[in-house]
Amino acid sequence: MTQAITSADTSRNLLMVAGGGIISGILTPLLPALIDQMVGLPGQLRISLIAMPFAVLVFILVRRFSGNPWWATLLAAIVTMVAFVCAVNAAIFIEGQTAGAATVMRYLLAGLTGGLVGAGVMALGIGLLPAGPRAAAAWWPMLITGTLAGTLLALDNALGLDQISFLYPVWQAGVALRLVMVLRS
């Protein structure tokens, strides 16, 4: 009986995590228009502020599902914002390096790169926290999920999505789920 209750609680928790990732992913592409109204902020800081909804979600998840102190959960949120900046810059770099290729291929490669870099920086940073899992193998599912979900950048580009996105809700929900699974292991 207690195993059935635990299983139901786990499923409900994972659905809530996925829902949080979807909500943060819906908010993410809406922020650039708001952040552009702020005068005097450097470019990289503007990009990092776009990651604020997902950083808040990561803060909540790390606080709830790990034994980290409050300062470490705050560092996890900051690492998430840094990971976003790194992912965006990596995707832009790869897209620029593949200038002669077909548009779909350029955005596919840029999305793969951005997804891997974003998930990788998060895994490295959060893995170094006091209660973060140190085994590299524990982070592989999150890296794979982040990388594969990054391919949705090509779909977003092909459909001309600016204010909405398939990439962010799917990527953030998938990476959030994998993060919780890593933290609980």
Side-chain angles (χ1 to χ4, degrees), residues 15-39:
L15 283 174
M16 289 174 57
V17 169
I22 290 169
I23 290 168
S24 71
I26 291 169
L27 294 174
T28 298
L30 300 175
L31 286 180
L34 177 66
I35 292 171
D36 286 343
Q37 302 300 319
M38 298 178 190
V39 179

Side-chain angles (χ1 to χ4, degrees), residues 89-109:
N89 287 331
I92 290 169
F93 176 77
I94 293 300
E95 196 271 332
Q97 294 299 308
T98 57
T103 302
V104 172
M105 185 56 67
R106 287 193 347 248
Y107 282 99
L108 185 64
L109 292 173

